[in-house]
């Protein structure tokens, strides 16, 4: 049973569109939620969220966490073709193996020119 | 720093063959991990290590073995390759400080077993 569920599984948009990727999770003692971007190779780190309601922002990407409702969203504004990738969400809980992350299946984002 | 390096990048094995996937990190991280990623799926933890000489099983350890003789190296061994082990394998490392658990990933090894 998946601890981390991402939606949608795939998304196709045109350049300039704004997208919202969703991640819901179920962990016993939540510690943090992480977003990664994966472009046909190793995942690269985007954000780590530990506190509810505090937005993390980097350029056109932003993310926020809702610890009450157990979800996070990743927003990308003014999308570019270079944003095409799989976006992975992962959570870490205090009760798990030290440092272990639980990954969702990812959202495949395709941005057409 | 090279970060996390993995070799080989690609490999094709026949059923029943053995091989070792190499992983090295130069960031002096204590924690290291092996994941596999099947098409359309998230990463599944195979084995992890919290320091030299200490390893433990993750979610999908069957068919694999690991060792951790040094802080830098964490090789993954496949003894009798099976088609179900066709996947992309990622090694990762981290050095947790407080609540920071960002994992740094290697470039991956794409393995095909036929």
């Amino acid at each position: 049973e998946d601890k981390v569920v991402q939606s949608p599984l795939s998304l196709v948009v045109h350049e300039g569109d704004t997208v919202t990727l969703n991640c819901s999770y179920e962990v016993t003692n939540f510690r943090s939620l992480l977003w990664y971007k994966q472009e046909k190779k190793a995942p690269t780190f985007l954000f780590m969220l530990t506190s509810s309601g505090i937005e993390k922002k980097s350029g056109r990407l932003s993310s926020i966490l809702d610890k009450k409702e157990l979800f996070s969203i990743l927003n990308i504004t003014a999308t570019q073709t270079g944003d095409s990738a799989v976006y992975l969400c992962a959570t870490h809980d205090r009760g798990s193996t030290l440092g272990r992350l639980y990954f969702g299946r990812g959202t495949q984002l395709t941005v057409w020119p | 720093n090279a970060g996390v390096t993995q070799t080989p990048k690609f490999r094709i094995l026949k059923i029943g063959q053995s091989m070792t996937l190499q992983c090295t990190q130069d960031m002096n991280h204590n924690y290291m991990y092996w994941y596999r990623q099947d098409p359309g799926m998230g990463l599944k933890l195979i084995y992890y290590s919290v320091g030299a000489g200490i390893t433990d099983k993750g979610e999908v350890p069957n068919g694999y073995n690991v060792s951790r003789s040094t802080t830098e190296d964490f090789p993954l061994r496949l003894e009798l390759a099976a088609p179900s082990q066709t996947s992309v394998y990622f090694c990762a490392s981290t050095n947790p400080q407080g609540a920071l658990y960002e994992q740094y990933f290697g470039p991956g090894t794409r393995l095909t077993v036929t």
Side-chain angles (χ1 to χ4, degrees):
Chain A
E1 187 173 344
D2 289 349
K3 287 179 178 277
V4 180
V5 178
Q6 293 186 245
S7 64
L9 291 180
S10 67
L11 190 56
V12 179
V13 300
H14 288 282
E15 272 192 323
D17 289 348
T18 293
V19 299
T20 298
L21 311 183
N22 304 294
C23 175
S24 62
Y25 62 90
E26 180 183 330
V27 294
T28 307
N29 296 296
F30 177 84
R31 179 185 283 269
S32 61
L33 184 143
L34 294 85
W35 284 97
Y36 287 84
K37 179 181 182 182
Q38 186 176 24
E39 300 173 88
K40 297 187 187 298
K41 48 187 180 180
T44 54
F45 173 76
L46 292 174
F47 298 111
M48 175 182 287
L49 302 149
T50 57
S51 301
S52 196
I54 298 176
E55 184 182 51
K56 290 284 184 84
K57 195 171 173 67
S58 176
R60 297 176 293 102
L61 277 68
S62 64
S63 183
I64 197 161
L65 176 68
D66 185 327
K67 290 170 75 172
K68 182 179 177 184
E69 300 298 329
L70 308 182
F71 78 91
S72 174
I73 59 172
L74 175 68
N75 279 321
I76 308 176
T77 59
T79 52
Q80 302 170 357
T81 55
D83 295 326
S84 295
V86 175
Y87 290 84
L88 296 168
C89 172
T91 61
H92 172 255
D93 73 81
R94 298 176 189 273
S96 76
T97 304
L98 288 176
R100 174 177 171 176
L101 299 177
Y102 295 93
F103 283 87
R105 297 186 179 190
T107 294
Q108 171 74 62
L109 175 65
T110 303
V111 181
W112 291 104
Chain B
N1 286 350
V4 181
T5 56
Q6 291 182 238
T7 57
K9 291 184 179 177
F10 305 94
R11 183 73 185 267
I12 298 174
L13 282 182
K14 295 189 176 178
I15 295 171
Q17 287 186 319
S18 302
M19 78 164 293
T20 299
L21 283 67
Q22 302 291 344
C23 175
T24 300
Q25 53 88 13
D26 62 359
M27 297 174 282
N28 203 33
H29 285 169
N30 290 327
Y31 291 11
M32 295 186 74
Y33 311 83
W34 274 106
Y35 294 93
R36 59 177 287 172
Q37 186 177 34
D38 300 328
M41 303 295 286
L43 283 77
K44 297 291 186 184
L45 183 66
I46 305 171
Y47 270 95
Y48 70 98
S49 170
V50 298
I54 307 170
T55 63
D56 208 345
K57 297 177 181 178
E59 296 175 79
V60 289
N62 292 344
Y64 307 94
N65 275 302
V66 294
S67 60
R68 185 93 182 271
S69 57
T70 66
T71 300
E72 295 78 20
D73 301 306
F74 190 39
L76 177 72
R77 178 83 178 160
L78 283 71
E79 289 295 348
L80 291 170
S84 61
Q85 293 177 305
T86 294
S87 190
V88 180
Y89 292 83
F90 289 104
C91 179
S93 73
T94 191
N95 210 11
Q97 298 169 11
L100 298 178
Y101 282 91
E102 176 189 348
Q103 293 188 4
Y104 297 83
F105 285 84
T109 294
R110 185 175 294 275
L111 176 67
T112 301
V113 182
T114 61

